[in-house]
Amino acid sequence: MSAPAMPAAAGPTLVTRWPTELPLFALALVVSLALWVAATVSVIGLAYAAMIGAFFFILHVGFIAHVRGSAVRLGPDQFPELHARVTEIAQRIGLERVPQVYIMQAGGALNAFATRFLGVHFVVLFADLLDACGDNAAARDMIIAHELGHIRAGHLRWHWLLLPSALVPFLGSALSRAREYTCDRYGRVGAGDTDGALLGLAILAAGATHGPRVNRAALVRQRADLNTGWMTLGEWFGSHPPLARRLAQLDPTLAPQTERAIAGPLRATMMVAVVVLPLTFLTWISVSKLPALLEQAGAEAMATQVDGEPVDAPGAPFIAPPAEEGVARARADLAQLSALVDAERAAGRPIPWGMDDLYLLWAGAHPNTAEPTDPFDGSRYGYDRSGDDYRIWSSGPDQKPRTGDDVRHDSRSGASR
């Protein structure tokens, strides 16, 4: 396979990034930083993030070990001509260090990829893709230069930092597609001309036998089949642009200037607005309100029981006293309950772990007296502890716990409203 000659140049060839790549990168970075901060606020969220990160890291370690041990690394004594070509292309696009490049058998898949592990860059070329390129060095060099372009453009850096942006619908995939367009431009530099780059993409589309005979203009016209709502959504979820679009971007002459197709994007946007956004909003509401709903459900369940018996007759509505009267009663009850807890602490015994333990303590101290209940909602008073400190509270006149009108006793500051 004879390699096309690269023109001599004083320095590396400058490749312009795809126009949307840097704006999308900036947006993904801001979103990811915000999500990382949100995760660190919650110890549980941070723990989950650490576990997920460790899981993917271990998978990556296993894959890199497989590549290094089972794939064939190019070098001066291993496919030296191909190694020399990779080195030449790397220098041509301005890479200071040539990455480790491997050939790997992948069961017929026509693909290649670049990755990074602990600061070391790798490029893996699938053997069947090299075979599909046959004697056409330009098509092969397009594939190689495309993967080297990911390294040259810095696409493998900040990968873990940007990972949360993948959770945002369409954002991570849009950035990935923009980067693919950028690397196709690197591929054109490696191929030496546009025709060689187009051939490389045609082989990816149709394989070794049919790729060189593809009618490229007809393939580009297939973009019209994507001008629907569902197909546009499919594109937006994809990490790679359709090959029909990639050919058109490398050679605009394949796609004569026509009226821009807007039906697909417009319908997809309406589908997102009508379906995806409401579902996302409802999910956010459900998750954010779930703890309060569970607490309220628990409080309502508690309100129907006192020592296993109904508080009110079945069907009888609970009637709260006037606010001032209820606050006075709540403060008196909290004072009695807190006195029990303080006595336990003063005696060197553990304070109650939870509300049930608190009321067991009350029953032991007042066996013939009904347990105190919140005058505003009829349930037991709320209770939680942290070490040797504790807090007891009433829901207050609005009958909603953890709001501004709660009547509280905090062992660190005393009763307050």
Side-chain angles (χ1 to χ4, degrees):
M1 181 186 295
S2 59
M6 285 189 172
T13 301
L14 178 64
V15 173
T16 304
R17 294 176 186 267
W18 188 249
T20 62
E21 181 186 335
L22 291 181
L24 285 170
F25 171 78
L27 178 59
L29 181 61
V30 170
V31 169
S32 294
L33 287 174
L35 291 176
W36 277 122
V37 170
T40 56
V41 169
S42 167
V43 175
I44 295 178
L46 186 60
Y48 275 117
M51 288 189 292
I52 294 171
F55 174 75
F56 282 109
F57 179 77
I58 291 172
L59 288 181
H60 196 51
V61 169
F63 178 74
I64 293 298
H66 171 72
V67 170
R68 281 183 159 172
S70 300
V72 179
R73 181 178 176 180
L74 302 186
D77 58 349
Q78 189 72 270
F79 301 109
E81 292 184 2
L82 185 56
H83 174 259
R85 189 59 178 168
V86 170
T87 302
E88 186 178 354
I89 295 173
Q91 294 172 347
R92 179 65 176 168
I93 66 174
L95 274 177
E96 296 180 358
R97 297 180 61 184
V98 180
Q100 297 181 20
V101 181
Y102 292 82
I103 298 177
M104 186 170 72
Q105 195 285 126
L110 302 182
N111 202 358
F113 63 88
T115 188
R116 174 186 172 103
F117 180 73
L118 298 180
V120 179
H121 291 105
F122 299 81
V123 170
V124 178
L125 306 172
F126 286 7
D128 292 281
L129 179 56
L130 294 177
D131 292 342
C133 291
D135 293 330
N136 195 298
R140 177 207 63 193
D141 291 349
M142 190 277 180
I143 304 300
I144 294 173
H146 177 102
E147 302 306 330
L148 293 176
H150 281 299
I151 300 172
R152 177 66 179 87
H155 294 166
L156 305 183
R157 295 196 296 267
W158 314 110
H159 177 71
W160 291 101
L161 181 61
L162 292 174
L163 193 59
S165 66
L167 301 175
V168 180
F170 310 120
L171 177 56
S173 56
L175 176 59
S176 176
R177 292 195 304 275
R179 287 175 164 180
E180 291 301 316
Y181 281 132
T182 294
C183 289
D184 280 346
R185 294 177 171 183
Y186 279 100
R188 178 165 51 194
V189 172
D193 56 44
T194 299
D195 185 72
L198 294 173
L199 178 57
L201 294 178
I203 289 173
L204 285 176
T209 302
H210 301 289
R213 294 185 287 144
V214 164
N215 181 333
R216 299 168 189 170
L219 176 56
V220 168
R221 287 197 296 272
Q222 289 179 209
R223 294 180 303 169
D225 298 333
L226 301 174
N227 191 30
T228 69
W230 286 113
M231 294 300 98
T232 300
L233 278 179
E235 281 192 71
W236 289 353
F237 281 115
S239 62
H240 286 60
L243 286 167
R245 297 199 187 281
R246 293 170 67 178
L247 265 72
Q249 299 303 332
L250 279 180
D251 185 2
T253 64
L254 294 174
Q257 294 296 323
T258 58
E259 184 178 352
R260 185 177 180 182
I262 62 172
L266 181 60
R267 291 170 183 168
T269 301
M270 293 176 62
M271 292 166 67
V272 169
V274 172
V275 179
V276 177
L277 290 182
L279 286 177
T280 301
F281 178 74
L282 290 175
T283 300
W284 177 79
I285 289 292
S286 299
V287 172
S288 62
K289 300 297 183 182
L290 183 59
L293 291 174
L294 291 176
E295 184 173 354
Q296 181 179 355
E300 292 174 354
M302 288 291 185
T304 64
Q305 296 289 324
V306 175
D307 294 332
E309 297 297 330
V311 175
D312 298 306
F318 176 81
I319 301 176
E324 292 185 2
E325 179 183 337
V327 168
R329 175 179 155 188
R331 286 178 174 169
D333 288 346
L334 296 188
Q336 294 186 72
L337 290 170
S338 62
L340 291 174
V341 181
D342 290 340
E344 292 294 294
R345 186 165 57 178
R349 293 188 292 269
I351 67 174
W353 284 100
M355 179 169 51
D356 290 340
D357 294 327
L358 173 63
Y359 276 85
L360 284 175
L361 188 63
W362 170 272
H366 306 280
N368 299 317
T369 305
E371 64 183 24
T373 57
D374 191 332
F376 294 110
D377 59 21
S379 67
R380 288 177 168 180
Y381 288 103
Y383 173 83
D384 59 25
R385 61 169 286 178
S386 176
D388 288 332
D389 291 312
Y390 66 91
R391 180 176 57 178
I392 313 174
W393 70 88
S394 156
S395 64
D398 68 357
Q399 300 184 353
K400 296 180 180 179
R402 301 182 188 275
T403 56
D405 71 343
D406 289 3
V407 181
R408 296 180 295 274
H409 177 92
D410 192 317
S411 64
R412 294 165 295 186
S413 59
S416 65
R417 178 180 174 185

